[in-house]
Amino acid sequence: MKYRKDKYGNNLSVLGFGCMRFKKKMGRINMADAERQIMKAYNNGVNYFDTAYFYHSGESESVMGRVLKEYPRDSYYLASKYPGHQVDPKTANPAEIFEDQLRKCQVEYFDFYLLHNVYENSFRTYLDPKWGILEYLREQKRLGRIHHLGFSSHARPDFLEKILDTIGDDLDFCLIQLNYLDWTLQEAKKKYELLTERGSPVWVMEPVRGGKLAKLSDADE
């Protein structure tokens, strides 16, 4: 495994482990299979694991907690996300969601925590002081329960620039969809260049689009 130090001194494996596509059994995550995958990744040098509140209908975080608790906490980096693009802010409580995530992941802090999918339709929710999302997460970072606060985004390049102009000082990194197809299809090149110009570290999601870019279809072979 190759490792790179980010601008904050974290020594991260170049390949991370995404927790959105575990195999299922009877409609639930196949725990035995998930445990085998996570352990194989960890034992082969992967030290960055990425989950989220609604992955697998909320089950992903619990699975990560059950498996990763067997390893020293300082031997891996765990990332999760606040689902501001999916919850109804009128009924969602940032504190309740965050505490639930810590409980399910069986940790006392997140190494990396993201505003999930900040884009044209969700940005207002994240900013609205009525819901207090950003304010609450700033406080959790101050308390050390979030080591690095970032965001993921599928926004267009011009809107990504607006996000950075508005709350970029609060955010330590950005997760974007970047692969050889989306380099042009979703303008990942422009987004990468913008983020790099602004000094924001870039995390990569969907490097092979959930495996679809790793193998040609039968018709194309």
Side-chain angles (χ1 to χ4, degrees):
M1 181 59 63
K2 295 181 179 180
Y3 299 87
R4 292 179 185 167
K5 280 196 174 182
D6 66 13
K7 66 184 290 184
Y8 309 107
N10 302 296
N11 197 34
L12 300 164
S13 55
V14 173
L15 291 177
F17 187 97
C19 307
M20 189 175 72
R21 293 190 177 92
F22 289 118
K23 291 182 180 179
K24 294 183 180 181
K25 184 178 182 180
M26 304 294 290
R28 303 286 301 276
I29 292 176
N30 184 325
M31 188 61 198
D33 191 72
E35 183 174 4
R36 178 187 60 78
Q37 291 181 34
I38 298 165
M39 292 176 63
K40 184 173 183 178
Y42 180 94
N43 291 330
N44 282 277
V46 172
N47 67 6
Y48 181 90
F49 297 87
D50 177 284
T51 185
Y53 189 65
F54 278 131
Y55 284 177
H56 285 281
S57 300
E59 192 180 5
S60 176
E61 289 177 327
S62 297
V63 168
M64 299 311 297
R66 289 170 60 183
V67 179
L68 290 178
K69 72 177 181 180
E70 302 300 325
Y71 301 107
R73 181 63 185 90
D74 60 359
S75 69
Y76 63 88
Y77 299 95
L78 182 61
S80 196
K81 309 175 186 74
Y82 183 83
H85 68 305
Q86 290 177 291
V87 297
D88 181 349
K90 296 178 182 178
T91 57
N93 184 312
E96 289 180 1
I97 289 175
F98 186 75
E99 296 295 340
D100 190 36
Q101 291 177 289
L102 290 174
R103 179 188 60 78
K104 290 194 295 182
C105 290
Q106 301 189 44
V107 295
E108 295 182 351
Y109 64 89
F110 288 110
D111 302 279
F112 301 96
Y113 193 80
L114 298 85
L115 308 179
H116 200 168
N117 195 12
V118 184
Y119 74 116
E120 289 83 349
N121 293 338
S122 67
F123 193 40
R124 185 179 302 174
T125 297
Y126 281 113
L127 287 184
D128 197 325
K130 287 187 298 185
W131 319 129
I133 297 169
L134 195 55
E135 290 76 11
Y136 176 79
L137 296 179
R138 285 192 192 111
E139 178 65 8
Q140 300 317 300
K141 183 179 179 182
R142 187 190 70 80
L143 294 172
R145 304 174 86 201
I146 295 172
H147 288 181
H148 302 286
L149 181 63
F151 71 113
S152 66
S153 183
H154 294 277
R156 297 186 306 272
D158 59 337
F159 200 84
L160 179 60
E161 185 170 17
K162 179 179 179 180
I163 296 169
L164 294 171
D165 287 342
T166 308
I167 59 173
D169 290 344
D170 287 309
L171 304 170
D172 298 327
F173 64 100
C174 181
L175 177 69
I176 61 171
Q177 186 161 319
L178 193 157
N179 53 63
Y180 67 79
L181 178 62
D182 291 314
W183 188 246
T184 53
L185 184 64
Q186 293 198 29
E187 299 186 279
K189 180 178 185 292
K190 291 183 180 180
K191 298 176 189 179
Y192 175 82
E193 291 173 346
L194 171 63
L195 290 162
T196 301
E197 181 182 311
R198 294 295 189 91
S200 174
V202 177
W203 268 231
V204 174
M205 72 170 96
E206 301 282 357
V208 288
R209 280 199 164 201
K212 292 179 181 178
L213 298 181
K215 182 181 183 301
L216 292 174
S217 68
D218 292 338
D220 292 327
E221 286 184 337

